[in-house]
Amino acid sequence: MPKIGMEPIRRDALVKATIAEVGGAGSLDVTVSQIARRAGMSSALAHHYFGGKDQIFLAAMRRILSDFGAEARRELAAAAPYERASAIVRACFAPSCFAPDVIAAWMTFYVLAQNNPQALRLWRIYQRRLRSNLTHALRGQAADPVDAAATLAALIDGLYLRAALNEPEAPGRATEQALRLLAMLRED
């Protein structure tokens, strides 16, 4: 008999284990068995809940994006209207979003998106939301808010890439760099 109510707990454990395994390996070169072992269950159960490694990883990325969304909403709720772009930047580099395992998951997500339509769709949704929120926040503050948002989003991606390539920035340092660029974009 299946244990009632265990599915969400097990799914959550598998998602967390996926982020940790990918973070440890620095790539998708992990097996479902490794993920399941870290989560304290069998690989058959992991396959039962998700189907395969790509699906488990996509669920992990949805969790990371959900955590980022919650961080962004928290920052935006406390921000004055003029500071909404700064709030988004702070959310991008919050310690929970800029942790080594999460950074490694982001990089593998970008690689997966090159040949997995579901990952590409998820990445496009994230990019559109980020740029849209930054564009909205920069209206009346930058000469071309669309271009300013694209530039800031590119810097955010670049700081994640640098951190993944063993040049980690502390979250505070990455935030400072992005906020400096934001200040320059506001001046134009």
Side-chain angles (χ1 to χ4, degrees):
M1 285 298 282
K3 293 182 181 178
I4 305 296
M6 287 303 292
E7 182 175 349
I9 294 167
R10 289 178 176 155
R11 282 179 171 271
D12 184 58
L14 285 165
V15 164
K16 288 177 181 174
T18 301
I19 294 168
E21 284 294 319
V22 168
S27 73
L28 277 177
D29 192 23
V30 297
T31 65
V32 173
S33 294
Q34 289 171 302
I35 293 167
R37 191 175 317 113
R38 182 178 284 260
M41 61 189 81
S42 71
S43 62
L45 203 51
H47 281 288
H48 169 74
Y49 287 128
F50 289 102
K53 184 169 72 171
D54 284 356
Q55 288 76 26
I56 295 172
F57 184 67
L58 288 170
M61 282 313 301
R62 284 186 195 97
R63 164 66 61 76
I64 288 170
L65 289 169
S66 177
D67 291 348
F68 166 67
E71 192 71 48
R73 285 187 297 278
R74 211 174 3 265
E75 286 286 343
L76 287 167
Y82 184 78
E83 290 300 317
R84 290 181 64 81
S86 300
I88 294 167
V89 166
R90 284 191 302 276
C92 288
F93 300 108
S96 64
C97 297
F98 205 61
D101 289 352
V102 174
I103 293 167
W106 270 108
M107 294 305 106
T108 55
F109 177 57
Y110 282 172
V111 171
L112 183 64
Q114 292 177 359
N115 55 25
N116 181 304
Q118 292 174 316
L120 181 59
R121 179 182 173 278
L122 192 57
W123 176 81
R124 284 180 174 153
I125 290 168
Y126 157 73
Q127 282 291 312
R128 276 193 293 258
R129 285 182 182 166
L130 178 62
R131 289 181 186 203
S132 173
N133 284 320
L134 286 170
T135 299
H136 178 73
L138 290 168
R139 286 202 172 113
Q141 297 179 29
D144 182 350
V146 173
D147 188 52
T151 301
L152 193 52
L155 175 68
I156 291 166
D157 285 345
L159 288 168
Y160 269 81
L161 180 61
R162 234 174 50 190
L165 295 174
N166 297 320
E167 291 186 34
E169 298 283 351
R173 177 81 175 115
T175 303
E176 289 171 17
Q177 290 177 322
L179 290 176
R180 255 196 321 276
L181 175 65
L182 177 59
M184 288 187 278
L185 292 169
R186 285 179 172 153
E187 292 171 3
D188 288 339

